[in-house]
Amino acid sequence: MRSFKYAILGILVLYFQLIVAHHFALYSIIPNFLIAYFVFISVRIKANILFPLAFILGIAFDIMYPPLLGLNTISFLIISFIVNKFHMNVNKQRFIIVSLSILFLNFCHYSIFIIYHILAAQLIEGFLFLFLFSVLYNTLISILVVYILTLSEKIKITLNV
């Protein structure tokens, strides 16, 4: 039941990423909310459910950007594997460690795209600045989203009718 809830949440985050995320763009960098989602659920569910979910959502996200077909899927699988293998609890006592871990995961995610752009010879002027800015901006967004998801997980709503 819990994995079904996280799968539905993943579909909602995917729709949010495709429909609303461009409103959060800064210097034409659109934050990737799916990274924060995979960091969050990699701690919560088992690998036998996590990896197919990461693969399916990665393919669904890649279909929207055909030139990058497969890169997001590989990145989400790597992020899910790293977090699932070496995760720690997300709480306020470990904020610095969690923040540095999310920075590392964002660096890994965007490094895959840098390798693609170097191999495809699609480098533009100021590419290094855009890379560093996108890593830092997405890290801030990811930290915020992970802590919001963690907080929402702890809130229980009951109806007394």
Side-chain angles (χ1 to χ4, degrees):
M1 182 67 180
R2 193 165 90 174
S3 54
F4 180 72
K5 177 177 83 169
Y6 290 129
I8 296 297
L9 179 63
I11 293 169
L12 292 174
V13 170
L14 177 67
Y15 277 116
F16 183 82
Q17 179 69 39
L18 295 173
I19 296 170
V20 180
H22 64 88
H23 294 296
F24 294 96
L26 193 60
Y27 295 115
S28 74
I29 302 295
I30 300 172
N32 193 336
F33 292 99
L34 287 165
I35 294 173
Y37 168 75
F38 285 116
V39 168
F40 174 73
I41 67 160
S42 295
V43 176
R44 304 276 189 236
I45 61 177
K46 296 179 183 175
N48 61 351
I49 298 167
L50 172 66
F51 296 137
L53 183 62
F55 180 78
I56 291 169
L57 288 175
I59 288 291
F61 189 56
D62 278 335
I63 289 173
M64 299 301 149
Y65 302 103
L68 304 176
L69 192 60
L71 290 180
N72 284 306
T73 304
I74 291 170
S75 174
F76 294 156
L77 286 170
I78 290 170
I79 288 170
S80 298
F81 176 76
I82 290 172
V83 174
N84 191 287
K85 193 76 171 165
F86 305 108
H87 77 277
M88 294 180 141
N89 290 335
V90 177
N91 58 28
K92 60 185 173 190
Q93 288 85 15
R94 298 183 182 169
F95 178 76
I96 294 174
I97 293 173
V98 170
S99 300
L100 290 175
S101 300
I102 291 174
L103 176 67
F104 171 74
L105 293 171
N106 277 297
F107 183 80
C108 290
H109 174 76
Y110 284 104
S111 294
I112 291 171
F113 289 96
I114 277 205
I115 293 169
Y116 166 75
H117 285 292
I118 289 172
L119 292 175
Q122 295 180 354
L123 294 178
I124 57 174
E125 188 177 325
F127 190 70
L128 184 62
F129 171 74
L130 285 174
F131 168 73
L132 293 174
F133 181 73
S134 61
V135 167
L136 292 176
Y137 180 57
N138 205 31
T139 298
L140 292 174
I141 296 290
S142 296
I143 291 168
L144 183 66
V145 171
V146 165
Y147 276 97
I148 288 172
L149 288 172
T150 303
L151 181 65
S152 69
E153 183 77 13
K154 293 180 182 183
I155 295 173
K156 294 185 181 185
I157 299 173
T158 58
L159 294 174
N160 191 3
V161 182

